[in-house]
Amino acid sequence: MVERVFCRVLSLAAVLGGCTQVGPDFQPVPTPWLDTWNTPLLEQAGRRAATPDLRQWWSVFADPTLDALIAEADAHNTELRVAGLRIAEARAQLAIAQTGRYPQVQQIRGESLYLKQDQSGSANARDSVFWQSSLGFDIAWEADFWGRFSRAIESADALYFASEANYADAMVLLRAQVADTYFSLRTVEARLDIAHENAQRQARSLQITERLFRHGENDELDWQQARTQYLATQASIPELENQLNALRNVLCALLGRPPGPLPELAAGRGRLPVPDRAILQDVPARLLQRRPDIRAAEQAVAAQSALVGVAEADLYPSLSLLGSIGWTFVSASHLPDSFQLAAGPSLIWNPFDYGRRKDAVRVEDARLQQLIELYQRDVREAAREADDAASGLVRSLQSAEVRQQASQAAQRSLDLASSQYREGFADFQRVLDAQQLLLQQQDSYLVSRGNAVGSLVALYKALGGGWDPHRAPIDPDTRRQMQQRTDWGDLLDSPAPAGNDTGEPK
């Protein structure tokens, strides 16, 4: 009898649980302009290169020091580790949402009471003392008639995938920041070396003019002008050293180290790569949509779309199936034991609260439209970043080429001015002007090369390159620590990526 009743209840719940889903189904946000968008500026770079593996784009620089720094940042950067832990949090939230498929109340109850009945007023006066014990099981299952729970699961599922995309985005940003900081540091090192080299050259000129002035062979003007130029160059050295220290500290923070020296940077001091060896010929628009931050924004839209359905389900009655089984045992022999069985549906609806619930749906829909607008803005911003980086790369390469020629001309000009001054055919002012121009052109050339490398890094970042879908978001030590503290089950295991989830175009 009991089994038949509960079988019927469960069958009815199964039928009602999958009836319908109210609210909008998620639709990808359209961006039709991407079908024809490209970055034609890259075609001006001249050399066509094979498209590198975007997951490890920094390998095009062939710099073992950079490879080691990025590997260390992957292992110890705090922001990346926190982003990985948020995946575990999102999986736990998804597991909580999935419990809506099952009875919301599953309660075993038991109690034991000491009872004393005073019957002094009756004809057969006597006191009764006995124990009463009861054991029962209650169950309540709200049928997912309008898709309230399935929409909540859909939202939690989208947020879980958004957390994975946010982790990938954190990896993209981290690796780009490490590379950009590293090459900025190398640029400052090269500029510092150039400043020291020119300071030494100007120091020799200062010694010559001072000696000539002391011996009365020249006036004081040449000496003071040489001294002014030398001191100005010397003043720029502490500024560059301060920049170098600040960049070193930024790199330490990215690596998860305290501020301090980086001995591994001693090798390859001031070495900058040639960025035109790794130029992409174009930027396929489909790569922008595969950027982790764009995918995270799309998943946020999907999650909010499901929440509209959750709010809309509150407009309708909720149908629950209730069941209860109980046994009562009494120690008194003159009182019988009892058995209770109750089962049936329960309908709850508050029509007088309809206006508030309808406004709640409107709130969720407004939030959905906001996320749609933000998604479209993010796609446009991604395209802008790619185009800016492409333009910066092309223009910086053009500038570096011209400034390299200008540096060579400035060096030749200084050699000629020095020779003419020694032979008495030119005054010392021409030498000073040539020295100053040489320092300016050499420094500008290094800045242009550094800008070109930085733009190339920014281009790879704009394409969403630099993340590995097979990398475990939680390292083994952290996993062991969390499992020792809490029973995580299999939620800390990394699920296999579905389909072509490598960030590369199909």
Side-chain angles (χ1 to χ4, degrees):
M1 175 64 178
V2 176
E3 294 179 356
R4 288 199 299 272
V5 171
F6 271 89
C7 285
R8 291 174 181 174
V9 171
L10 293 176
S11 298
L12 180 60
V15 171
L16 296 177
C19 286
T20 187
Q21 282 186 326
V22 297
D25 293 326
F26 169 70
Q27 299 292 334
V29 183
T31 50
W33 59 270
L34 268 180
D35 296 336
T36 57
W37 181 85
N38 60 9
T39 53
L41 282 172
L42 288 177
E43 297 177 1
Q44 303 176 21
R47 182 182 302 180
R48 177 179 293 272
T51 302
D53 183 0
L54 289 180
R55 290 171 296 181
Q56 294 184 334
W57 52 263
W58 58 91
S59 61
V60 300
F61 297 117
D63 191 328
T65 302
L66 177 60
D67 296 342
L69 292 175
I70 289 179
E72 184 177 349
D74 287 347
H76 301 293
N77 181 263
T78 300
E79 283 73 18
L80 185 61
R81 292 165 67 92
V82 170
L85 292 171
R86 285 176 179 151
I87 295 178
E89 177 187 351
R91 289 192 71 179
Q93 294 288 355
L94 175 59
I96 292 174
Q98 288 172 338
T99 60
R101 296 171 175 169
Y102 309 102
Q104 289 78 34
V105 176
Q106 305 174 52
Q107 185 178 56
I108 297 176
R109 52 183 170 80
E111 59 184 13
S112 183
L113 302 175
Y114 172 77
L115 301 177
K116 180 179 180 180
Q117 292 183 352
D118 185 0
Q119 301 176 348
S120 58
S122 64
N124 299 321
R126 66 186 182 88
D127 292 340
S128 297
V129 178
F130 59 91
W131 287 88
Q132 175 180 303
S133 300
S134 62
L135 178 66
F137 176 72
D138 298 327
I139 185 171
W141 192 350
E142 181 182 343
D144 197 17
F145 195 80
W146 309 108
R148 181 201 315 272
F149 299 111
S150 60
R151 289 296 193 190
I153 294 172
E154 182 182 331
S155 177
D157 191 56
L159 290 177
Y160 165 64
F161 285 111
S163 69
E164 288 191 325
N166 285 328
Y167 174 74
D169 187 49
M171 193 181 301
V172 168
L173 293 176
L174 173 63
R175 291 171 168 179
Q177 285 176 334
V178 171
D180 187 60
T181 305
Y182 172 74
F183 287 124
S184 295
L185 187 146
R186 291 303 195 196
T187 301
V188 175
E189 286 179 342
R191 294 178 63 195
L192 186 59
D193 292 342
I194 288 295
H196 280 296
E197 178 183 335
N198 280 271
Q200 293 176 359
R201 180 184 296 111
Q202 293 167 7
R204 290 194 295 270
S205 298
L206 176 60
Q207 293 173 356
I208 294 173
T209 55
E210 182 180 10
R211 185 174 60 251
L212 292 175
F213 169 69
R214 300 296 183 190
H215 289 79
E217 300 178 15
N218 211 341
D219 57 21
E220 186 181 357
L221 179 60
D222 290 346
W223 174 42
Q224 293 299 339
Q225 287 179 329
R227 185 166 178 263
T228 300
Q229 184 164 275
Y230 169 73
L231 292 177
T233 304
Q234 283 289 103
S236 68
I237 292 176
E239 297 175 355
L240 292 172
E241 289 176 339
N242 184 55
Q243 294 180 28
L244 191 63
N245 184 73
L247 289 169
R248 189 184 298 114
N249 288 339
V250 170
L251 197 53
C252 285
L254 294 173
L255 300 178
R257 297 190 197 179
L262 293 171
E264 57 267 46
L265 297 182
R269 176 183 172 86
R271 183 178 60 191
L272 286 172
V274 180
D276 59 349
R277 295 178 181 173
I279 294 176
L280 295 173
Q281 189 63 22
D282 58 6
V283 178
R286 64 185 182 276
L287 289 181
L288 298 180
Q289 293 179 304
R290 296 186 65 84
R291 277 178 41 151
D293 59 331
I294 299 300
R295 291 188 292 112
E298 184 179 40
Q299 292 297 331
V301 173
Q304 184 60 35
S305 176
L307 289 181
V308 175
V310 173
E312 191 168 339
D314 287 337
L315 295 173
Y316 304 98
S318 62
L319 179 63
S320 300
L321 301 176
L322 308 178
S324 177
I325 300 177
W327 294 266
T328 301
F329 308 97
V330 184
S331 61
S333 59
H334 63 283
L335 296 176
D337 298 337
S338 63
F339 168 75
Q340 304 89 30
L341 171 64
S346 171
L347 181 67
I348 299 177
W349 189 30
N350 188 355
F352 303 104
D353 200 26
Y354 185 85
R356 184 186 66 84
R357 296 170 187 252
K358 190 67 177 178
D359 286 334
V361 176
R362 293 165 179 157
V363 168
E364 298 298 340
D365 187 70
R367 291 173 178 172
L368 172 60
Q369 190 61 39
Q370 293 172 37
L371 291 175
I372 291 174
E373 297 294 336
L374 291 175
Y375 172 82
Q376 294 174 335
R377 180 206 64 183
D378 291 344
V379 176
R380 291 193 299 268
E381 185 69 13
R384 182 196 64 78
E385 291 177 3
D387 195 70
D388 286 351
S391 175
L393 176 59
V394 172
R395 305 308 184 199
S396 296
L397 285 173
Q398 293 173 345
S399 176
E401 182 179 359
V402 174
R403 291 189 183 280
Q404 184 180 26
Q405 298 174 4
S407 297
Q408 295 171 350
Q411 181 65 62
R412 178 59 178 165
S413 175
L414 177 59
D415 294 340
L416 293 174
S418 299
S419 176
Q420 291 177 3
Y421 174 72
R422 287 193 299 268
E423 296 174 1
F425 295 110
D427 58 11
F428 191 69
Q429 183 61 46
R430 298 187 65 179
V431 176
L432 291 177
D433 291 343
Q435 288 180 346
Q436 183 178 10
L437 188 59
L438 175 61
L439 175 59
Q440 291 176 350
Q441 295 304 320
Q442 287 179 332
D443 187 74
S444 298
Y445 168 66
L446 292 174
V447 170
S448 296
R449 281 195 59 182
N451 290 339
V453 177
S455 295
L456 182 58
V457 172
L459 179 59
Y460 285 126
K461 170 181 167 291
L463 298 180
W467 64 280
D468 184 1
H470 304 290
R471 175 181 170 82
I474 302 178
D475 63 278
D477 291 339
T478 302
R479 182 193 302 268
R480 282 192 296 270
Q481 180 181 355
M482 297 175 68
Q483 289 175 334
Q484 290 173 359
R485 187 173 58 240
T486 303
D487 180 11
W488 277 88
D490 61 350
L491 293 183
L492 296 181
D493 297 334
S494 298
N500 181 24
D501 193 21
T502 63
E504 298 295 329
K506 294 182 180 181

